Amino acid sequence: MGNLYLIRHGQASFGAENYDVLSPIGVRQSQALGAHLAQLDLRLDRCVAGDLRRQQDTAQHALQAMHAAGVAVPAIETDAAFNEFDADGVIRALLPGLLAEEPNAREILRNGAHNRSEFQRLFAVMVQRWHAGDHADDGLETWQAFTARVQTGLQRLLDAASSGGNIAVFTSGGTIAALLHLVTQITPAQAFALNWQIINTSFSQLKFRGRDVALASFNCQAHVQLLKAPELITFR
């Protein structure tokens, strides 16, 4: 059987002007991941990343750490099918309908870096309404379109995979949630309940034979736990 490793990107710059940049902690997480995979002597046949900067940079730092440890690494391939859903678009589309019951929502979301728990609470409500289809048809990528995009990317990987191959996919939490939904048939709500637990640079393992895929492990974070550096365990 082959192995597909779903790796969430390192910590991005939440609250900064450009979120899509790894923070210094995100760089350290990515390097720690690569060093750990090298210690496991994991030999990757392919490495695929979405085209978001945080996904590409996480892959680059991790593979550089593997290479520095003497492990041969493949080139990074890009497939936008593994991009995250449009979180900003979800907020723009769902916020107006939330204001009647959450009059402070706009201010909380604007200053999310200083009020993370309230930001997460409101964001989770909007994501739930998004995947339930409770929003206007305003050009926002729907949950159904998002999962179809992700499924197309997964099928491309499986169709080109060799038996027993190891493939790393550097992606995002929402994309991993969509893959869990597709592979295990859990509901979108259950998939996002798991999504909120995925730490930066954790990896989940799928086993595959042909197009048959099964979940083997979820949200592995040994690479940061073994360092005994709690600051490297982040969720956003």
Side-chain angles (χ1 to χ4, degrees):
M1 296 186 75
N3 299 288
L4 188 61
Y5 298 94
L6 309 177
I7 301 168
R8 189 186 176 198
H9 62 78
Q11 185 188 60
S13 298
F14 184 58
E17 183 175 347
N18 184 2
Y19 171 74
D20 196 26
V21 176
L22 291 184
S23 70
I25 286 179
V27 173
R28 289 175 59 198
Q29 291 167 331
S30 305
Q31 293 168 337
L33 172 66
H36 179 69
L37 296 180
Q39 287 180 328
L40 296 177
D41 197 29
L42 178 64
R43 305 286 169 159
L44 295 174
D45 299 290
R46 295 181 65 191
C47 173
V48 180
D51 66 14
L52 301 177
R53 180 175 174 180
R54 60 190 182 272
Q55 299 169 339
Q56 291 278 325
D57 288 353
T58 299
Q60 183 178 44
H61 286 297
L63 293 190
Q64 284 175 347
M66 293 180 73
H67 179 72
V71 176
V73 295
I76 300 171
E77 305 169 45
T78 300
D79 189 338
F82 298 105
N83 285 1
E84 180 64 285
F85 67 89
D86 183 4
D88 288 341
V90 167
I91 291 174
R92 286 193 301 270
L94 278 296
L95 177 59
L98 190 64
L99 289 173
E101 57 200 89
E102 297 280 356
N104 297 323
R106 194 183 304 277
E107 186 65 22
I108 291 170
L109 294 170
R110 186 180 293 125
N111 298 285
H114 303 291
N115 200 345
R116 290 173 179 259
S117 61
E118 278 297 283
F119 177 94
Q120 176 59 30
R121 181 181 68 82
L122 294 177
F123 184 58
V125 170
M126 288 185 286
V127 167
Q128 189 279 328
R129 294 181 181 182
W130 170 65
H131 66 64
D134 188 15
H135 59 88
D137 183 10
D138 52 6
L140 176 67
E141 183 181 41
T142 64
W143 164 253
Q144 290 76 15
F146 174 57
T147 54
R149 163 164 66 84
V150 173
Q151 185 170 37
T152 297
L154 174 63
Q155 290 175 348
R156 270 197 296 271
L157 285 181
L158 297 176
D159 289 345
S162 59
S163 177
N166 292 316
I167 305 170
V169 178
F170 288 83
T171 184
S172 297
T175 314
I176 295 172
L179 287 162
L180 292 175
H181 164 69
L182 291 167
V183 169
T184 69
Q185 298 300 300
I186 59 176
T187 67
Q190 290 168 328
F192 273 99
L194 292 174
N195 176 33
W196 307 135
Q197 308 306 315
I198 302 174
I199 73 163
N200 295 111
T201 67
S202 74
F203 58 95
S204 300
Q205 182 181 5
L206 303 178
K207 291 277 190 180
F208 67 87
R209 179 182 287 113
R211 283 197 173 186
D212 293 331
V213 187
L215 179 65
S217 67
F218 171 69
N219 197 28
C220 179
Q221 46 196 277
H223 60 291
V224 288
Q225 291 174 325
L226 290 170
L227 292 176
K228 298 181 180 179
E231 71 275 10
L232 295 184
I233 299 178
T234 62
F235 295 87
R236 185 178 296 282

